[in-house]
């Protein structure tokens, strides 16, 4: 059976700022797929982000590019192996320039079902939701 991968394409205002942000999270740049228009960020073996300058991103679509700093287009939930890993990733993101969004009611609901999650926005306003969920035995 072949392995599947996901490549999430993000239009970015400043390629170097965005690339530096994701490197600060501990994610690696794949130089083979990186140039002045794009950077490939390896999250893990099966997940990559393609950071694309807005003019380059526009060549892939006929629709207008959303302003993710003003609106939410999607939320990227990332399952992690522990609550500590969630906190470590979120704190690294904040230190690198992310904005944390805190929803106390959502956190309380998650805690009731054995989840721990946080939300942060990257420099371009993309919404990340790292979480840990304790699975039933």
């Amino acid at each position: 059976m072949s392995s599947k991968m996901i490549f999430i394409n993000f239009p970015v205002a400043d390629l170097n700022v965005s690339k530096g942000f994701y490197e600060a999270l501990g994610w690696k740049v794949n130089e083979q797929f990186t140039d002045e228009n794009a950077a490939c960020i390896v999250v893990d073996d099966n997940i990559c982000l393609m950071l694309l300058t807005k003019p380059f991103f526009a060549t892939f679509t006929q629709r207008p590019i959303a302003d993710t700093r003003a609106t939410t287009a999607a939320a990227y939930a990332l399952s992690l192996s522990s609550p500590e890993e969630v906190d470590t990733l979120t704190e690294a993101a904040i230190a690198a320039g992310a904005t944390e969004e805190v929803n106390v009611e959502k956190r309380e609901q998650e805690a009731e079902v054995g989840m721990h999650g946080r939300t942060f926005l990257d420099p371009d306003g993309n919404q990340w939701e790292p979480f840990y969920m304790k699975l039933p035995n």
Side-chain angles (χ1 to χ4, degrees), residues 5-17:
M5 293 182 69
I6 186 166
F7 288 80
I8 303 170
N9 297 298
F10 286 162
V12 299
D14 186 314
L15 185 59
N16 288 324
V17 167

Side-chain angles (χ1 to χ4, degrees), residues 13-61:
D14 186 314
L15 185 59
N16 288 324
V17 167
S18 295
K19 192 164 64 167
F21 172 80
Y22 286 107
E23 287 178 299
L25 302 185
W27 299 346
K28 304 295 181 208
V29 174
N30 180 334
E31 295 294 343
Q32 184 178 2
F33 301 107
T34 298
D35 62 20
E36 68 280 352
N37 292 310
C40 179
I41 305 296
V42 179
V43 177
D44 78 1
D45 290 343
N46 294 312
I47 304 169
C48 294
L49 307 178
M50 290 302 299
L51 308 177
L52 309 173
T53 62
K54 287 184 179 182
F56 186 56
F57 186 93
T59 67
F60 292 90
T61 184

Side-chain angles (χ1 to χ4, degrees), residues 77-127:
L78 182 63
S79 176
L80 299 174
S81 60
S82 70
E84 295 78 19
E85 194 174 353
V86 170
D87 292 338
T88 298
L89 179 64
T90 303
E91 294 303 323
I94 293 166
T99 303
E100 183 172 20
E101 287 193 345
V102 179
N103 181 329
V104 174
E105 184 178 313
K106 178 183 168 208
R107 283 192 182 175
E108 289 171 354
Q109 290 171 345
E110 289 174 343
E112 289 177 17
V113 296
M115 289 181 67
H116 173 72
R118 292 176 71 180
T119 301
F120 65 85
L121 308 178
D122 76 4
D124 290 287
N126 296 299
Q127 182 170 325

